[in-house]
Amino acid sequence: QVQLVESGGGLVQPGGSLRLSCAASGFTLDYYAIGWFRQAPGREREGVSCITSIDGSTYYTDSVKGRFTISRDTVKNTVFLQMNNLKPEDTGVYYCATDPPPVRPMCLVEDFRTWGRGTQVTVAP
């Protein structure tokens, strides 16, 4: 059974850092597209960062470029999102999701069918 479990969220001050983890089971991450998405209150879910193909091609939404880094650990079968210089507008529930490749390179919600339950990230003084 394909399963994704997120962890690492929490409350952090502006300018701080968090590292989110998404542990995968039931499949091998190396052969799947995987991404991080977030949903702020009252807003639609949006793609934050994705590994869109087996060759490791990555996508970042403009607002996180230079601050967030996606990576995967093939031994642990886990994908990470390192978030630095966090801003209040980064607040939301962060989800990881996966689907067999190919997916379009824009990290689109509709391209991913298997989702974790999410982890809350709150950036506030």
Side-chain angles (χ1 to χ4, degrees), residues 21-88:
S21 300
C22 174
S25 59
F27 69 104
T28 301
L29 267 178
D30 281 1
Y31 305 119
Y32 280 69
I34 190 153
W36 286 97
F37 301 79
R38 68 185 176 194
Q39 188 163 19
R43 300 189 66 177
E44 293 187 354
R45 195 171 298 187
E46 63 170 345
V48 176
S49 180
C50 290
I51 298 173
T52 56
S53 65
I54 295 175
D55 69 5
S57 300
T58 56
Y59 167 91
Y60 294 92
T61 193
D62 286 346
S63 63
V64 308
K65 287 180 180 177
R67 301 188 297 122
F68 291 12
T69 303
I70 190 171
S71 62
R72 60 187 172 190
D73 184 322
T74 56
V75 174
K76 296 181 179 180
N77 212 33
T78 299
V79 65
F80 303 98
L81 186 68
Q82 178 66 43
M83 306 188 294
N84 298 328
N85 190 22
L86 282 159
K87 304 176 181 181

Side-chain angles (χ1 to χ4, degrees), residues 4-9 20-23 33-51 68 70 79-81 83 90-98 107-109 112-121:
L4 299 170
V5 179
E6 303 96 334
S7 62
L20 304 184
S21 300
C22 174
I34 190 153
W36 286 97
F37 301 79
R38 68 185 176 194
Q39 188 163 19
R43 300 189 66 177
E44 293 187 354
R45 195 171 298 187
E46 63 170 345
V48 176
S49 180
C50 290
I51 298 173
F68 291 12
I70 190 171
V79 65
F80 303 98
L81 186 68
M83 306 188 294
D90 295 318
T91 294
V93 179
Y94 282 69
Y95 301 87
C96 67
T98 189
C107 201
L108 300 173
V109 170
F112 292 79
R113 290 171 289 178
T114 300
W115 292 79
R117 292 190 173 186
T119 184
Q120 175 71 45
V121 171

